[in-house]
Amino acid sequence: MATRGLEGLMFETHNWGKSVAFWQALGYELEFETDHHSGQLRHPAGGPYIFLAERPEGDALETRPIVGVDDAAAFEPPGSGTVVQPFTPEHWGVLEMILQDPDG
């Protein structure tokens, strides 16, 4: 099953407010915010959305691409990748699978 391609990027941050202000200064608009310092921004001109999630100071931060699929149950990950986490419901209304490429 093919994907819908890159739909978003997930950035972890140590400071939710400063990160939101940074993306807003680049023209992104806040679509929604959760009650625990995470949320989604989208640029009015289109392109991938940004999902920001605050992590505690001292935690290593990650950046992950978000690739869309039409049917999680029918999705077959490529054999060259490694499923780190199977599809799991997330608090922002999506099912998330963490799939590593061959380089990790």
Side-chain angles (χ1 to χ4, degrees):
M1 168 190 217
T3 70
R4 293 189 307 260
L6 181 66
E7 293 187 348
L9 295 164
M10 194 279 277
F11 294 103
E12 294 182 336
T13 179
H14 291 298
N15 189 308
W16 160 256
K18 286 183 179 180
S19 292
V20 169
F22 169 80
W23 288 104
Q24 287 176 323
L26 293 172
Y28 284 78
E29 298 171 354
L30 188 61
E31 282 191 327
F32 69 85
E33 179 179 353
T34 69
D35 59 356
H36 47 277
H37 296 146
S38 65
Q40 185 169 300
L41 297 101
R42 190 175 304 270
H43 199 282
Y49 63 84
I50 303 295
F51 190 86
L52 294 174
E54 186 174 276
R55 299 294 181 243
E57 284 294 331
D59 281 10
L61 300 177
E62 294 184 15
T63 299
R64 295 194 295 258
I66 300 168
V67 177
V69 299
D70 289 326
D71 183 353
F75 178 70
E76 294 280 338
S80 59
T82 302
V83 176
V84 176
Q85 170 190 298
F87 281 110
T88 304
E90 293 295 337
H91 64 278
W92 64 93
V94 300
L95 291 174
E96 178 183 59
M97 170 188 275
I98 300 177
L99 179 65
Q100 283 184 331
D101 73 5
D103 288 330

